[in-house]
Amino acid sequence: MKVKADDYRNIVFFTGAGMSAESGVPTYRGRGGIWHQYNWEEYACQDAFDRDSEKVLKFHELRRKLILSCQPHAGHFAIAEMEKRHPGVFVVTQNIDGMHQRSGSKRVIEVHGSIWRLRCPRHGISEDIGENYRRHRCEQCNTWLRPDVTWFGDMLNHDVVDEATATIGGSNLFISIGTSGVVYPAAGYPQIAKNNGAYCIEVNPEPNEMSNLYDRTIREPAGSALPCLFL
Ligand code: APR
């Protein structure tokens, strides 16, 4: 059954690692997930960065290289197309890989940050795109720059979380794609959408603990489900 987008004023596509997995970017916990291969305590927490910044930056450069070798798929393009023809479309994503922007989406809220940005504790955030970082240290104060992504043990950026919560809380159609639904605050998003009376759809080949909250579940990969979801 096709969905008529014009019946909904505000539409949120909420995406997780499964959305990017279909492009070849590894998931976190699933089969082939990166935390089976790499120990996050060595590569993805502030302590690791404080111990050996260069090692952590090099690991992120490896991930950037891998991400750049992947391409957005038909599901990403379907979302970007929908944004062009509907003024109330937003993407809220847990992914840090910028794949939505590469497919043309503009209204993207990145709750776990972006691997394409670096952060100096004193001089703020700068965009840095490419396989290798242009610089590892801040030009102004020479401090190590850290990837602007949420690592284990990090606080989320409050402003971004507030924006995501408000956007989802105002949605009438909430479509969750490729997330296992276990990591908060994202795990609470379908309930927030439901509380606003949104119609909730899950796109995921596998069921999970949150699946029963959805009005409709589509057990298919995002790349085949999304292009034919709308009228
Ligand atoms: N289409 C849709 N869903 C898919 C596809 C696909 N082609 N392939 C896999 N999936 C689903 C899996 O069934 C699984 O439910 O994607 C989900 C991926 O789950 P996780 O790896 O747990 O990813 P996510 O929910 O995004 O994890 C949240 O945890 O480690 C942190 O910061 C990291 O953003 C990440 C967060």
Side-chain angles (χ1 to χ4, degrees), residues 15-19 21-22 27-30 35 94-95 112 150 152 177-183 203-206 208 220-223:
T15 64
M19 182 75 186
E22 209 173 328
T27 57
Y28 295 95
R29 297 174 193 74
W35 303 138
Q94 298 173 92
N95 300 337
H112 291 168
T150 305
F152 289 88
I177 307 144
T179 173
S180 57
V182 293
V183 179
V203 178
N204 193 323
E206 307 284 339
N208 57 63
E220 259 185 72

Side-chain angles (χ1 to χ4, degrees), residues 137-188:
R137 288 175 179 271
C138 176
E139 258 186 330
Q140 296 172 69
C141 66
N142 208 36
T143 305
W144 287 102
L145 293 166
R146 65 156 277 180
D148 186 33
V149 299
T150 305
W151 285 331
F152 289 88
D154 281 350
M155 300 280 284
L156 295 185
N157 180 317
H158 285 302
D159 294 340
V160 178
V161 170
D162 287 351
E163 192 188 0
T165 308
T167 305
I168 290 164
S171 67
N172 317 108
L173 176 62
F174 177 80
I175 305 172
S176 150
I177 307 144
T179 173
S180 57
V182 293
V183 179
Y184 273 88

Side-chain angles (χ1 to χ4, degrees), residues 107-126:
R107 295 190 289 267
V108 183
I109 302 172
E110 297 171 306
V111 285
H112 291 168
S114 169
I115 200 159
W116 309 113
R117 294 194 298 264
L118 284 169
R119 197 161 81 211
C120 167
R122 259 164 265 153
H123 298 103
I125 293 168
S126 51

Side-chain angles (χ1 to χ4, degrees), residues 67-129:
I67 291 164
L68 286 178
S69 73
C70 301
Q71 302 304 324
H73 57 70
H76 289 107
F77 288 111
I79 294 175
E81 277 307 307
M82 184 52 67
E83 183 188 306
K84 276 192 204 128
R85 67 180 175 93
H86 191 300
V89 168
F90 272 88
V91 173
V92 176
T93 187
Q94 298 173 92
N95 300 337
I96 59 168
D97 53 36
M99 215 54 105
H100 286 292
Q101 290 91 333
R102 274 170 72 190
S103 67
S105 289
K106 303 255 184 278
R107 295 190 289 267
V108 183
I109 302 172
E110 297 171 306
V111 285
H112 291 168
S114 169
I115 200 159
W116 309 113
R117 294 194 298 264
L118 284 169
R119 197 161 81 211
C120 167
R122 259 164 265 153
H123 298 103
I125 293 168
S126 51
E127 194 175 73
D128 184 312
I129 297 170

Side-chain angles (χ1 to χ4, degrees), residues 28-71:
Y28 295 95
R29 297 174 193 74
R31 228 181 309 132
I34 62 167
W35 303 138
H36 298 304
Q37 196 183 347
Y38 293 97
N39 183 358
W40 63 261
E41 285 158 312
E42 271 182 72
Y43 298 104
C45 64
Q46 186 63 43
D47 280 353
F49 188 68
D50 294 341
R51 267 195 314 271
D52 193 340
S53 307
E54 185 119 47
K55 177 175 164 179
V56 169
L57 285 165
K58 287 237 158 19
F59 168 74
H60 284 75
E61 285 180 339
L62 261 183
R63 293 190 68 193
R64 283 158 63 105
K65 197 171 172 177
L66 193 147
I67 291 164
L68 286 178
S69 73
C70 301
Q71 302 304 324

